Amino acid sequence: MIALGIDSGTQSTKTIALDLETGEILASAAESYGLIDGLPAGHLEQEPQTWTDAVDLTVRAVLQKLGKRRDEVQAIGVSGQQHGFVALDKKGQVIRPAKLWCDTSTVEQCKQFEEEFGGATGLIKLAGNAMLPGYTAPKILWMKEHEPKNYKALATVLLPHDYINFHLTGERGMEFGDASGTGLMDIREKKWCEPLVEFIGSELVDALPAPASSRRAFGLLRESLREAWGLSKTEVTVSAGGGDNMMGAIGTGNVQPGVVTVSLGTSGTVYAFADKPVVDAQGEVAAFCDSTDRWLPLVCTMNVTVATEQARQLFGWSHEQLEANVSGAPAGAGGLLFLPYLNGERTPNLPGGSGVFHGLNTNTMTPPMMARATMEGVTLGLAYGLNRFRELGIQPTEIRLTGGGSRSEIWRQIAADIFGVPTVCLASSEGAALGAAMQAGYACQAAHGKPTTFRELSARIVQVDDSTRAKPQAAHKEAYEDLLTRQGDLTRRMHTAGYL
């Protein structure tokens, strides 16, 4: 059996074809696109048709590469960018462009939620999460306040991957994982939090699909698409899908306690599997559900390769030169500390933050030292989140690294030393697309009376690349513990003084 995994992101859509028996990725295709131009600062939007057009193009390309094996395609799963708001009217037509996860025009709406429900503390007690501008809930309130005609026409609220499921099947619905990132769901009970929904408006109740199991078969591929794509007469199952981090967890084998995924991309994420809700009273760890009907505590930082790339370009280096210079500098960079808040920061919550080098002297103010401090600084930021996991009872035994930064051998070693846990990369870099295909295979097999488990699928399909494994070096433990403490202390002091 072949399953298609579709990963629809902010910048591109990728589709892969996975052989469920062998675990081999048989074909892949990608299509890039951009955001809507000319919007005010903080407004970041896309037309949902951009995603469905990219889905059509990439699926057709993958099926063409499969040749005669296209008739083995029995399942499709979709991973989508989280938190986006797709508004449909009663006819199922898109009312306005989708406001995306990175849209920050909703700060005022978040304040309204906080004022009504006792701040972040009250919101966390009520539903498990604070209210952040990236979430879906403040976007809906924004539309009600700024576009009342559009709000009046609202019949269905969907997230980006839900809209692609709607395009594929004609069915409207949500699953627990992505729905938990709306800000409206009680993650402990896995149902909409009525006080939050009604704060926006009682009429919204009817526009929110009831969250349902992420394990189920969501529907069947529309006949019109099946015929247009030249698939066989066999019914093609579409799974519930999920958000990109939820699908990334499945695709990296993060489906059991102990395994933690860390993404070293433009931004950074740390997330883990949990058998029960993990609610952070401080609100720094997002309390999400995953897309296997369990939970996915997650920390996000906004400055990872964006900072290392800035350093590389500042010194006019190639990626190989960056690697060599960082490798040539000592662990801890002679005490030079970098606060990596170039784009502000989400964890810690410093939307107006900026970067700082602390500890510059004649020995440390050199390109290799500053580059090493930059790489260490962004990793320390992720380690802060990992330590919050530990404080909440999550004990990592292995870190699975993804994202562009994970291709760096010295960075993998720095991560192992700072995290205090062995790190390793995956044999496949597909991540979310692979997770979507695996979930599709799970749902299809269950629908046909051949149930499996995510752990079984993971053991068979997700492979680590042992050549990338790095183990913590005891000699560096004390230096990095000191830097992590300094980073937290300096951040708090500068923020209190109004400098961050």
Side-chain angles (χ1 to χ4, degrees), residues 210-250:
S213 172
S214 305
R215 294 171 174 254
R216 74 196 191 286
F218 184 79
L220 297 176
L221 182 65
R222 293 178 192 253
E223 283 294 300
S224 58
L225 285 177
R226 187 186 61 77
E227 293 174 1
W229 290 345
L231 295 173
S232 70
K233 295 182 179 179
T234 304
E235 293 179 339
V236 178
T237 300
V238 177
S239 66
D244 50 9
N245 288 307
M246 292 77 186
M247 292 293 102
I250 296 173

Side-chain angles (χ1 to χ4, degrees), residues 367-384:
M369 288 290 208
M370 294 178 75
R372 174 116 193 177
T374 300
M375 192 172 284
E376 291 176 341
V378 299
T379 311
L380 290 165
L382 292 166
Y384 175 84

Side-chain angles (χ1 to χ4, degrees), residues 19-255:
D19 186 320
L20 266 299
E21 279 70 40
T22 66
E24 181 184 359
I25 295 175
L26 304 171
S28 66
E31 179 71 16
S32 298
Y33 40 76
L35 305 178
I36 294 174
D37 292 329
L39 297 179
H43 292 254
L44 294 164
E45 302 178 0
Q46 282 175 330
E47 290 287 356
Q49 187 173 342
T50 300
W51 312 329
T52 55
D53 286 347
V55 166
D56 185 67
L57 286 169
T58 56
V59 168
R60 287 178 185 271
V62 164
L63 294 177
Q64 184 176 16
K65 293 176 183 178
L66 287 177
K68 292 182 179 179
R69 293 199 68 181
R70 70 167 60 203
D71 289 340
E72 298 176 43
V73 174
Q74 295 184 40
I76 299 175
V78 179
S79 164
Q81 52 179 304
Q82 287 184 245
H83 311 311
F85 171 33
V86 182
L88 302 185
D89 63 18
K90 291 180 180 179
K91 295 181 180 179
Q93 300 297 309
V94 174
I95 295 171
R96 70 174 319 280
K99 292 179 79 67
L100 306 182
W101 64 275
C102 43
D103 185 294
T104 57
S105 64
T106 57
V107 171
E108 179 56 37
Q109 285 69 38
C110 290
K111 290 180 180 177
Q112 292 180 43
F113 276 103
E114 291 181 349
E115 290 170 358
E116 178 69 17
F117 295 101
T121 301
L123 288 163
I124 292 167
K125 287 181 179 179
L126 185 63
N129 283 304
M131 192 64 69
L132 301 180
Y135 290 175
T136 316
K139 296 176 174 63
I140 301 172
L141 182 56
W142 182 94
M143 189 172 81
K144 181 178 182 179
E145 295 177 347
H146 291 269
E147 300 176 351
K149 289 184 179 179
N150 285 338
Y151 183 79
K152 188 175 181 180
L154 179 65
T156 306
V157 172
L158 296 180
L159 301 173
H161 104 264
D162 300 322
Y163 181 74
I164 296 173
N165 276 356
F166 173 60
H167 169 72
L168 295 176
T169 67
E171 303 291 333
R172 310 183 199 194
M174 286 194 190
E175 50 81 47
F176 295 137
D178 217 2
S180 67
T182 62
L184 290 174
M185 198 174 95
D186 180 342
I187 64 97
R188 302 176 185 89
E189 302 296 329
K190 293 186 175 180
K191 63 182 182 181
W192 297 125
C193 179
E194 291 183 9
L196 295 177
V197 174
E198 292 190 358
F199 177 69
I200 297 175
S202 58
E203 66 283 344
L204 184 61
V205 174
D206 296 330
L208 289 167
S213 172
S214 305
R215 294 171 174 254
R216 74 196 191 286
F218 184 79
L220 297 176
L221 182 65
R222 293 178 192 253
E223 283 294 300
S224 58
L225 285 177
R226 187 186 61 77
E227 293 174 1
W229 290 345
L231 295 173
S232 70
K233 295 182 179 179
T234 304
E235 293 179 339
V236 178
T237 300
V238 177
S239 66
D244 50 9
N245 288 307
M246 292 77 186
M247 292 293 102
I250 296 173
T252 58
N254 192 342
V255 293

